[in-house]
Amino acid sequence: MPYKIVKKNLSKMKTDAIVNPANKKPVCTPGTEMELYQAAGAEKMLSARRSIGDLQTGHVAYTAAFELHAKYVIHIAVPVWKGGDEGELDSLRTCYRNIFRLAKELRCRNIAMPLLMSGTYRFPPHKAMDIAMEEINKFL
């Protein structure tokens, strides 16, 4: 199963599922989350996200994608970087594993996701990329 790394706005991608690095609370925060909500139809997406409720770190849930070019949005509550001594590396690995598990359950043939935790959540990008590649390769 091939994969591609692209630099593209997730809200414009045509795919089965788009991954949203979500806030633990059902709110829309600046960054990737806000872009996805706006493109999907903010009120509809927020209402769907509220029906899920709070997410614990590493937990996933999905909603319809509404106006996005996808079937689903997979919401994942990612950890915040606190220096690396509070289990962030393992938490990030768990995030990828849970995303892939849910995508498989949903029978997604393709998914689009950002490099988790490398922006707002301040995870060092090189470490985030290493973990992403390890988990993608394990899944494939």
Side-chain angles (χ1 to χ4, degrees), residues 58 60 76 90-103 134-135 138-139:
V60 294
I76 178 80
D90 288 336
S91 289
L92 183 55
R93 285 184 180 90
T94 297
C95 289
Y96 281 105
R97 290 174 190 157
N98 289 340
I99 289 165
F100 296 141
R101 177 191 45 75
L102 180 56
E134 287 170 22
E135 294 305 321
K138 283 180 189 176
F139 175 73

Side-chain angles (χ1 to χ4, degrees), residues 10 24 27 35-36 61 66-67 77 86 89 104 115 121 125-126 136:
L10 287 177
K24 293 178 183 182
V27 297
E35 288 176 17
L36 291 175
F66 302 106
E67 303 301 318
E86 295 190 32
L89 299 171
K104 187 175 180 179
L115 182 59
Y121 297 97
H126 66 284
I136 289 167

